[in-house]
Amino acid sequence: MSDTPEAPKIEFPCENYPIKVVGHNEDDFRGFVIETVQIHAPDLDITTVTVNESRTGKYLSVRLQITATGEDQLIRLHEDLKASGRVQTVL
């Protein structure tokens, strides 16, 4: 037996699942993130999406919340965002 506690399991569906996407500060980055997320979470409420610029202005972080329906959905979403070459980090 291990003394390391297990990470908590997410129960699906999980409403208000937070996602933060970081990429280069480009005019259409917010729109790109929203379009990509809506493929996997069509019920995304875009009025809750927030965008913050990094201190140096080089990066943007787009924060949003989705209803996560399962691990497969989250994996595919992460893969699609990263495959674009425009995304530095997905949290």
Side-chain angles (χ1 to χ4, degrees), residues 10 12 14-19 64-68 73-74 91:
I10 299 171
F12 297 104
C14 179
E15 292 185 20
N16 301 316
Y17 184 86
I19 298 175
L64 46 91
Q65 295 180 343
I66 65 169
T67 298
Q73 174 203 36
L74 297 175
L91 304 170

Side-chain angles (χ1 to χ4, degrees), residues 2 7 23 30-31 40 44 48 50-51 58 62 77 80-81:
S2 173
R30 177 185 183 273
H40 302 280
L44 171 67
T48 64
T50 60
V51 179
K58 184 175 180 179
V62 179
L77 174 57
D80 282 358
L81 288 166

Side-chain angles (χ1 to χ4, degrees), residues 3 7-8 11 21 27 32-33 38 41 49-50 52 54 57 60 65 67 69-70 76 79 81 84 86-87 89:
D3 291 333
E11 292 187 29
V21 182
D27 289 339
F32 158 75
V33 171
Q38 284 179 321
V49 176
T50 60
N52 292 308
S54 68
L60 289 179
Q65 295 180 343
T67 298
T69 58
R76 287 191 313 269
E79 288 173 348
L81 288 166
S84 71
R86 300 183 67 183
V87 172
T89 306

